[in-house]
Amino acid sequence: MKVVFASCFLSHHQKPFSEVMYKLLGDDYCFIAEEPMSDERKELGWTEGTKEKYVINALASEDEYKRCIDIINDADVLIVEGRRYNLYEQRIKQNKLTFNYSERIYKEKYQFYKFPIRILRHHLMYVRYKSLYLLCASAFAASDYAKSFAFINRAYKWGYFPECKEYDIDDLIEKKEENSLLWAGRFIKYKHPEKAIETARRLKEQGIDYKLRFIGTGELEEDLKNLCKKYDLENNVEFLGSMPPEKVREYMEKSQIFLFTSDKGEGWGAVLNEAMNSGCAVVADKHIGAVPYLIKNEENGIMYKGTLEDLYKKTVNLLNDKSLVKTMGKNAYNTIISEWNAECAAKRILELSERLLNGKETEFLSGPCSKHK
C-alpha cells in the first residue's frame, strides 16, 4: 500500500507518526511538506523535519511540485492536512481514497451570513466525493463540517501524536514534586494563561502551598509578569521562557498537575497528549479539541466548564487530594500508552484504509480510527 501524508511541515507533533509509517511501509510512504515552518514556531523551540528520507519539499522547485502531484495521484491512500488544494485536486476528482485531516473549522463565533457560501464550497470540495473521509483532529470537527452537510457518517477520531514515552509509571508518579503545577504554550489570547495566574492568586489567598511554572513566550508575557507582581506571586510563580520540546517534557515529568486553559480556539492541543503521557493530572477546558477524545472526566483527567471559578474549584480539589492526583496521573499515562499514540494510529489507519478500499467499515470502538458519532 502506498500512502502519502501532505501537510504544511513536519513538526515534532507529526514526526512520530511518520516514523512509524516509514517503518511499516518503507519507500511506499512519504511526507510532502507544503511550506516552511514559521519563525514563531522556531522561537518556541520547534525543529523542522526536512532531512528525513521520506520527506519531500513541494516548494523546492516547480519540477518538484509537479512530481508531488504525480506521487499524490499514484498513492493508494492520501492523508492531507495542507492548504494547497491544487496538489490533490486531481486525485479527489478521481474518487481515490483520501482522508481530510482537520481541526474544527469554526473556532471563532459562527457567522450565519457566510453559511450559503460555505455550503456551496463544501459541496464542491467534499460532499460529492464518496471516497473522501474526515480524520477529526478535534472532537468538534465532525459537527462543524456537518453544518454544511460534509462528511456525514464519514468521520473518524484522530488527532496529533507526539512522542510517546514509556516509564515505570509508579516510580515517575512518586518522584513528582509535591503541589507542582505547570502551564505550557504560547502566551496568546485564546490560550488564556491569565486564568492560571488568577487561579494561583486564589490558591495563595487560601493559604495553599504550591509552585506554578510557565513555559513559553508570546505577546501576553509582560502582562502576565505584571499580574504576578500585582498579586505578589513571585515566590509561587516562575516563568521559564521557551525551550525545546524535550525540555518541556522534563518539566512535565516533574509536575503533578497540568493546567490547560485554552478556549475553543485550541484546535487540538498536543500538550495534552504529552502531559498525560508524563503522568500529569490534567485540568482542561472542555472546549479544547483534544479533551473530549482523550479525557474521561474524573477518571484520567478533569474537565472544567471554561470559567475561572470552575478551574479554581477543580484545581484545589486535586491539590487537597494527593491520592486522586496520583490515580489521575496513572490513568492519564495508560490512556496514551494503550491507544492514543503514533504506533497505534499508524497501524489503525492502514487497517481502516484496507477496509474502506474493500467497501467495509471500521472495527475500532474507541481511540484513533473509531467512528465519530
Side-chain angles (χ1 to χ4, degrees):
M1 185 182 291
K2 293 182 179 179
V3 179
V4 174
F5 183 5
S7 187
C8 299
F9 47 78
L10 185 65
S11 73
H12 65 284
H13 293 157
Q14 302 290 25
K15 188 176 179 180
F17 173 77
S18 282
E19 292 288 333
V20 178
M21 291 293 284
Y22 187 70
K23 179 181 177 182
L24 294 171
L25 298 177
D27 291 336
D28 284 333
Y29 174 78
C30 75
F31 180 97
I32 293 178
E34 297 182 9
E35 59 187 54
M37 183 179 288
S38 68
D39 291 337
E40 181 186 19
R41 299 288 185 181
K42 292 178 181 178
E43 288 172 6
L44 287 167
W46 289 33
T47 54
E48 187 174 5
T50 54
K51 297 181 180 179
E52 285 71 14
K53 60 183 69 176
Y54 53 80
V55 175
I56 303 173
N57 181 4
L59 298 184
S61 67
E62 186 176 344
D63 287 341
E64 199 73 344
Y65 195 87
K66 291 177 181 177
R67 184 168 81 94
C68 286
I69 292 176
D70 291 338
I71 291 170
I72 285 171
N73 289 338
D74 186 54
D76 297 299
V77 181
L78 171 66
I79 303 169
V80 58
E81 190 193 19
R83 302 185 181 97
R84 298 181 183 274
Y85 185 68
N86 55 343
L87 268 175
Y88 51 93
E89 182 179 11
Q90 294 176 23
R91 177 191 179 85
I92 292 176
K93 289 180 178 178
Q94 293 169 7
N95 264 315
K96 292 185 175 181
L97 180 58
T98 302
F99 293 100
N100 182 43
Y101 184 168
S102 178
E103 298 179 0
R104 70 178 311 165
I105 53 176
Y106 297 126
K107 296 180 180 180
E108 305 294 334
K109 187 176 180 181
Y110 188 68
Q111 296 173 310
F112 287 96
Y113 72 90
K114 294 182 178 179
F115 190 52
I117 298 173
R118 181 84 70 167
I119 289 180
L120 177 60
R121 187 158 66 91
H122 280 189
H123 176 78
L124 294 174
M125 292 177 64
Y126 307 127
V127 177
R128 59 181 175 159
Y129 300 115
K130 302 307 178 186
S131 293
L132 184 58
Y133 298 84
L134 179 64
L135 291 181
C136 301
S138 167
F140 308 102
S143 58
D144 278 6
Y145 278 100
K147 286 181 172 67
S148 50
F149 310 104
F151 300 111
I152 303 297
N153 203 37
R154 287 189 284 141
Y156 299 91
K157 295 181 181 180
W158 196 243
Y160 293 95
F161 305 97
E163 182 183 7
C164 178
K165 294 185 177 182
E166 293 190 20
Y167 303 95
D168 179 334
I169 188 59
D170 291 315
D171 183 61
L172 180 69
I173 293 291
E174 290 302 322
K175 288 182 177 179
K176 285 180 177 286
E177 183 182 330
E178 195 81 3
N179 290 354
S180 53
L181 296 91
L182 182 67
W183 190 101
R186 289 175 290 160
F187 297 149
I188 55 179
K189 290 182 179 179
Y190 76 76
K191 291 183 180 285
H192 296 289
E194 77 284 353
K195 289 188 175 182
I197 299 287
E198 294 293 345
T199 299
R201 174 181 65 85
R202 293 192 60 179
L203 292 174
K204 183 176 180 180
E205 289 174 350
Q206 296 300 316
I208 297 171
D209 183 43
Y210 71 92
K211 185 73 172 184
L212 169 62
R213 295 183 175 92
F214 282 91
I215 297 176
T217 59
E219 61 191 43
L220 300 179
E221 185 169 355
E222 284 305 310
D223 292 341
L224 295 171
K225 290 179 177 179
N226 289 335
L227 203 56
C228 280
K229 290 179 181 178
K230 177 182 176 181
Y231 296 149
D232 192 24
L233 297 175
E234 286 96 332
N235 293 330
N236 297 89
V237 177
E238 184 178 6
F239 290 88
L240 302 174
S242 61
M243 59 184 68
E246 57 270 20
K247 292 295 293 183
V248 177
R249 288 297 293 266
E250 289 180 15
Y251 278 98
M252 288 178 172
E253 291 161 6
K254 298 174 185 177
S255 303
Q256 287 188 319
I257 299 171
F258 186 84
L259 301 181
F260 199 9
T261 56
S262 299
D263 58 31
K264 70 176 187 177
E266 188 75 69
W268 176 258
V271 289
L272 179 60
N273 304 60
E274 295 165 332
M276 292 175 71
N277 181 216
S278 301
C280 296
V282 178
V283 184
D285 190 308
K286 68 176 185 177
H287 301 98
I288 294 167
V291 169
Y293 279 177
L294 269 59
I295 290 183
K296 295 180 181 178
N297 195 31
E298 299 185 0
E299 183 178 323
N300 65 352
I302 295 179
M303 299 182 194
Y304 75 94
K305 299 174 184 177
T307 66
L308 275 171
E309 180 62 33
D310 202 36
L311 172 60
Y312 168 74
K313 179 182 175 182
K314 300 296 172 60
T315 303
V316 79
N317 285 347
L318 278 176
L319 287 170
N320 288 332
D321 192 336
K322 301 185 188 307
S323 176
L324 181 62
V325 169
K326 293 179 180 181
T327 300
M328 289 275 183
K330 290 179 184 179
N331 290 344
Y333 171 80
N334 289 329
T335 297
I336 303 301
I337 210 75
S338 64
E339 271 192 340
W340 284 99
N341 58 73
E343 185 168 358
C344 180
K347 290 177 179 178
R348 286 188 176 193
I349 197 66
L350 292 177
E351 185 172 337
L352 174 61
S353 298
E354 187 71 37
R355 293 186 67 81
L356 292 175
L357 287 168
N358 288 286
K360 299 179 182 179
E361 255 299 352
T362 183
E363 291 187 329
F364 304 115
L365 300 178
S366 64
C369 293
S370 59
K371 203 73 174 280
H372 180 97
K373 297 179 181 179

